[in-house]
Amino acid sequence: MCGIFGCILRTDDASSAIHKGLKKLEYRGYDSVGIATLQGNRLFMKKDRGKIDNVHAIHNLDSLPGRLGIGHTRWATHGAPYQVNAHPHTDCKNQIAVVHNGIIENFAELKTELEEAGHTFRSKTDTEVIPHLIEQKMKNGLSLVDAVHETVKRLDGSYALCVISVKEPDKIVCARKESPLVFGVNEDSIYVASDIPAFLAYTNKSVIVHDGELVVLSGKGYEIRNIASWELVKREPEIIDWAPEMAEKQGYPHFMLKEIHEQPLCLRNTLRLQDKYLELMTTFLDRAGEVFLVACGTSYHACLAASYLFSKLSFLATHPIIASEFLEQHGKSVNIDSTLLVVSQSGETADTLEAVESARLRAATVLGLTNVVGSTLTRIARVYICQQSGPEIGVAATKTFTSQLSVLSQLAVRLAKKRGKISHVEIEDIEEHLEQLPDIVERTIQGKEEKVKQLAKKYSGKQVFFFLGRGVSSAVALEGKLKLMEISYIPSLAYPAGESKHGPISLIEDGFPVVFICPKGDTHRSIIGNIMEMKARGASIIAIIEKDDEKIKNLADDYIEIETELPEILSPIPFVVPLQLLAYYMALERGCDPDQPRNLAKSVTVK
Ligand code: F6R
């Protein structure tokens, strides 16, 4: 997730408007920043690693000449956060500049093709293929618009991009597939950005660019075309009446809700990770003597779910372990044959890094899964994967959890293939469902949010909650509990459901709320037994169920139905979504701030 901003003004100060716009987008990424402007037939550019204020202090981003330009604030995905990888990226002759948000899946093939045609690349980014492709097309006589049109037809993956060229210095050509893009107009200027707040200070008239559209912005206005049919699209600007504070959250009242809603997009990003890193990590896991899955909090819950995935799909036994316990429990036994798959959204959690250091001293192999390229974890891991969720501002982890689960599921499927442990039919079924997860999550959010809101109203006065699940759903129960507890301050418990009768059931009395996670797989029969045990003692049952689960519908006081059937092992991703929403709306009902719960910090860098 990166932020892009472009503008065409009447006056010669595009770079300072871009600088201000990028500041508003800094929440989307802050590894590096860059601006390119056009004046006469010359391209001017400044870019560097670091946050906008730091880069501005060194380079004075406002000093670029011209009334037209583009800018970018980056969240590194391909290529570390170095100056050379900062956007804009240019062609061989520095005549075309491009800013891009998204992932170009086929960049390696395109890069080889372009290098063979004589193009020289400077960066390690996927984006750089775009200016070179446009250069190649313009060399063959195409106009800038046609060259961008032909180029985007060759790109697999996601993109929001803006292109400028010295050859046609009166326009910005933009295109969108999946990554967000919107532009704003007023009488004498036009702005394009990743989201509305970036230009809201200049205009409240905005036009959303839809998937599969190309837009030409010029001093005269805008022209939208459908990329596939090349037909003109008519779309009038809408008036945006968000208060500035809401604008930052794209109209959502809280970052947490915005991030819950971003999950379909983030999951799609995880399905576009580079093959070579997934493959490399799978090879390390395959050869490992023993595997520890090390993390804290929500990331630990992803590890716990992953231990079921690795076991059931790839027949690999793993040890999920809370990082702060690692040293005590395994510190002495770890050795050169041990592998740690370390999961940390921030890549900076002190407990997690301490576990990593202790294992490294004993020659163990460290693999990392994180959301932050350039974090300590990425520097010390032998191989790391960036989950590409973009910055998460809400303290409670939501989108980063489901993305972690998606990456870990992909690793487990790859390992299953490598090891030949399950049938190709089962593998294909899992792969197909993995691809469908973003849509399933999208439908779950759209279809169930209202019902969850009502449940939050109904149960907000309860003093304590119980979360139960079996198998992989026990990790979902733990995560549902953590979300509710940390943002609405309701003491809660979570157990593998089978364990509940070994003590916790003594708590149950009339009306005690118990949330059951009930996918329709191997554990379904037993969870029905657990529901009946709780119901017999007066518990109020709230069940998260799969489509048409009449048996549980008849037992539960309330239920949220995930409108699909999928392999149980993949169920955590959609099943956790109603629990995230429940925690969020429960916090609101109880007057708590879901984005900044008391006593917590986003990145826990103390032990
Ligand atoms: C809970 C939450 C925390 C983090 C934990 C680990 O919503 O966000 O429990 O999951 O502090 O953080 P990372 O993943 O950054 O290591």
Side-chain angles (χ1 to χ4, degrees), residues 295-300 343-349 352 392 395-398 404 479 482-483 486 601-604:
C296 299
T298 291
S299 299
Y300 167 72
V343 180
S344 173
Q345 185 281 128
S346 60
E348 298 293 353
T349 300
T352 308
E392 192 171 57
V395 164
T398 51
Q404 285 167 347
E479 179 58 9
L482 177 60
K483 288 291 91 95
E486 70 177 327
K602 186 66 191 162
S603 185
V604 186

